[in-house]
Amino acid sequence: MKFQPTKEGYYGQFGGAFIPELLYPNVKELEDNYLKILESDEFQKEYKDLLQHYVGRPSPLYLAKRLSEKYGATIYLKREDLNHTGAHKVNNTIGQILVAKHLGKTKIIAETGAGQHGVATATVCALMNLECTVFMGEVDIKRQAPNVARMKMLGAKVVAATSGSKTLKDATNEAIRYWIQNPETYYLIGSVVGPHPYPDMVARLQAVISEEMKAQLKEQTGNENPDTIIACVGGGSNAAGAFYHYLENEKVELIAVEAAGLGVNSGESAATSQLGEVGVIHGSKTILMQDEYGQIVEPYSLSAGLDYPGVGPLHAYLFETKRAKFMNATDKEALDAAFELTKIEGIIPALETAHALAVLPKMDLKKDQVVVINLSGRGDKDLETYINHLEK
Amino acid sequence: MNSIQELFQKKDKNLLSIYFTCGYPKLEDTTKVISELEKSGVDFIEVGLPYSDPLADGPTIQDSSQKALENGINLDVIFEQLLALKETNKTPLILMGYLNQMLKFGEEKFCQKVVDCGIDTLILPDLPMIEYENHYKQLFEKYGLTNVFLITPHTSEERIRKIDSYSKAFIYVVASASITGAKGEISNNQVAYFERIRAMNLQSKLIVGFGISDKSTFNTACKYANGTIIGSAFIKYLGKNGVDKIDGFIKPIIC
């Protein structure tokens, strides 16, 4: 079990819980209880029931024939875009809201970049009748207006983060500060980031993706193992979910795709594994984009969900041990990939997901190579960006 | 014996410490702020290392850090500024920063620089106790450095006892479950918390911080602890009045 964290939440040198004393009791409470809760029959029953009847799982595993033809491989799309709320994020929020309820919490806070996690959190809070506050960077509020409207309609309070780059990193800082001042709240983290046990808990909740993938591949191809799995990585929750049950099977190639923005070396990028070094951000030790004095560098990507200067500690470890191959795609390559998938498969992907699709032309694919791309979300929220580029 | 322990031997009541952000309001103000604080009669000084993502700080200190970074401050400049003061400054300094700054600078190099500047006490609010026990305790001991731990109203007695056994300078008693920033007054709940800590008869000295802003909150906190640290209220004053009027903030509190 090389890729499972230690008791203290370490994946090799990465992970841990680097939090101010002010947050220690909250994190300790969660750490002491999360496994007991997740593994209880009561939780499993309720979680699976909601995933099936509320989220709409299992999500289809679709053989994309025209995409396969174009790239000369056997390409499947794991359709997380068909989940309720439009992305993989809801797998985690459904799970964590049940954890919060088990812990007796009544107020929920969350951070969001593209708004997908914010919407997924606001949704489950509406479902469970819990008060919801979502922190979102001021810049992201502007570029993801439909999701902001959705959150508000769902009854959530959206608080603008106005510090730093006014994006996901700053929304996370604001959420953590609010949590410090309101320790009775439950912080529903949206990715495999943050202090232990969040990275492990979120990975376990997203693992439903690879669990289904195994059964579906077995049914469709006779073999539960694909040759390659591709997923985009900002914090890395959809990738963690798509990789989870294959982590220990080194015959399955794992490809994590980061956002290169205007180019890895352009100074406007979010390709953390290429540009980052070991550091501490938002409560865990990981790989982090920073300057020579350890100040966190503001990342850039056209996609709000990938605009994050770190990656989850599991991904840092997958990168360090070379278990996963890290690739990247620029804004332009992602846009091209999004338009291509829309035209040839009739699926408008989220801009984040488009990064995963964008590495296909860069790969040396073989006809019988079974590739699964985790189609993490749908592109409705990115329509304005797409329209802007359609007109050009 | 470290510089704060020495200080406590001379004075162990009504100590006033001031937090300030290096390089704020102007890049070259670090030395001036320290010498003015010393002249005004401050007992020890918390030197803040500006950080881009300071989780435990409120908006006032975060803004000052942001401005200091825009002014061009960095660890090399800070260590130069502090070194320049080493011979003349007699007030103990403690350094407050975030772990990532030390990690990136190089842990050994960072510790050596701190020692070179005549500083022996650190506050790293995001350094977890388990990391301290497994790694940093040994590193700091090698350089003769002492780490200050924070406790809050939610810290368990068992944990406080452990922190007490690790503390050589003092325990930083966070006055409320909050980030830094003035609250205006000290509530009955806070007093109950201070009394609870005092009743534990810890071997460590206690310094209260977070939410202390003026003479009234200073006096109240000093009834239950050995002294206080004021940060945000001072930064606000400094931003408004500049480095030449520091006396005007300190005197009304200690006189």
Side-chain angles (χ1 to χ4, degrees), chain A residues 345-361:
Chain A
E345 293 287 354
I347 299 169
I348 303 177
L351 200 40
E352 288 74 15
T353 312
H355 286 74
L357 295 157
V359 299
L360 286 173

Side-chain angles (χ1 to χ4, degrees), chain A residues 71 228-232 255-258 325-330 333-334 337 353-365 371 373:
Chain A
Y71 290 103
T228 305
I229 302 172
I230 306 175
C232 64
I255 297 183
V257 187
E258 294 178 318
K325 183 176 175 186
F326 277 67
M327 297 179 75
N328 55 73
T330 62
E333 289 165 343
T353 312
H355 286 74
L357 295 157
V359 299
L360 286 173
K362 303 177 187 182
M363 291 174 68
D364 182 21
L365 295 166
V371 177
I373 299 174

Side-chain angles (χ1 to χ4, degrees), chain A residues 241-287:
Chain A
F243 296 167
Y244 197 86
H245 284 87
Y246 296 104
L247 287 169
E248 312 288 339
N249 180 355
E250 307 221 358
K251 283 186 192 147
V252 179
E253 180 186 33
L254 306 176
I255 297 183
V257 187
E258 294 178 318
L262 301 182
V264 173
N265 298 310
S266 66
E268 299 287 334
S269 179
T272 305
S273 69
Q274 305 306 306
L275 300 168
E277 290 170 276
V278 176
V280 172
I281 185 171
H282 299 143
S284 71
K285 192 186 240 187
T286 186
I287 298 174

Side-chain angles (χ1 to χ4, degrees), chain A residues 116-150:
Chain A
Q116 291 303 89
H117 173 60
V119 168
T121 305
T123 299
V124 296
C125 287
L127 180 69
M128 302 290 174
N129 191 26
L130 297 174
E131 198 180 306
C132 179
T133 305
V134 179
F135 294 86
M136 189 170 186
E138 204 174 45
V139 168
D140 293 337
I141 286 179
K142 285 189 190 126
R143 58 181 172 174
Q144 302 288 349
N147 272 344
V148 176
R150 278 186 196 108

Side-chain angles (χ1 to χ4, degrees), chain A residues 8 10 17-18 20-22 24-25 163 169 173 177 180-181 183 277 279-280 288 290-296, chain B residues 50-55 57 62 69 74 76 99-100 103-104 125 128 130-131 150 154-155 159 174 177-179:
Chain A
E8 286 85 21
Y10 283 90
F18 293 82
E21 179 65 26
L22 307 125
Y24 179 81
S163 60
K169 145 180 112 67
N173 287 337
R177 286 161 187 229
I180 287 172
Q181 300 199 79
E277 290 170 276
V280 172
L288 168 65
Q290 52 186 311
D291 71 8
E292 60 177 308
Y293 295 104
Q295 307 290 345
I296 295 170
Chain B
Y51 188 53
S52 57
D53 295 73
L55 284 186
D57 289 305
Q62 187 185 22
L69 291 170
N74 61 48
D76 285 321
L99 194 60
N100 199 50
L103 274 178
K104 186 65 180 71
I130 183 158
E131 284 284 328
L150 276 63
H154 303 292
T155 308
R159 202 167 157 85
V174 175
S178 71
I179 50 178

